[in-house]
């Protein structure tokens, strides 16, 4: 699981809606990297539970990801 900044609602006046900080599972991060021209991830860092424990893209929880590994 990673904490990532992703493209959001770019037409919004709020910066927090333009670029949201969310949790994304490792599988979805890998899939996003493959889609180079269509990538939604702007930047990523270590997992921070303050931004949630569920993947923004697929809904997998942090605990489910730990069990897979």
């Amino acid at each position: 699981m990673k904490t990532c900044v992703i493209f959001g609602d770019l037409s919004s006046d709020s910066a927090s809606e333009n670029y949201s900080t969310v949790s994304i599972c490792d599988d979805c991060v890998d899939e996003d990297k493959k889609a180079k021209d269509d990538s939604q991830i702007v930047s990523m860092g270590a997992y921070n539970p303050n931004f949630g424990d569920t993947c923004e893209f697929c809904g997998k929880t942090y605990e489910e990801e730990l069990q897979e590994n």
Side-chain angles (χ1 to χ4, degrees):
M1 189 80 63
K2 304 278 189 243
T3 297
C4 302
V5 175
I6 60 170
F7 287 114
D9 180 5
L10 298 179
S11 65
S12 174
D13 291 334
S14 172
S16 65
E17 291 177 7
N18 294 151
Y19 299 98
S20 303
T21 303
V22 296
S23 296
I24 301 177
C25 71
D26 292 339
D27 290 339
C28 288
V29 167
D30 290 343
E31 286 297 316
D32 190 74
K33 284 181 184 178
K34 291 177 187 174
K36 294 177 185 173
D37 295 336
D38 219 14
S39 179
Q40 292 181 303
I41 297 174
V42 176
S43 66
M44 78 178 100
Y47 172 65
N48 183 337
N50 292 327
F51 294 101
D53 68 345
T54 304
C55 177
E56 179 74 14
F57 295 162
C58 72
K60 185 186 299 181
T61 65
Y62 180 70
E63 290 79 24
E64 291 171 339
E65 188 173 63
L66 286 177
Q67 290 174 358
E68 288 179 0
N69 296 328

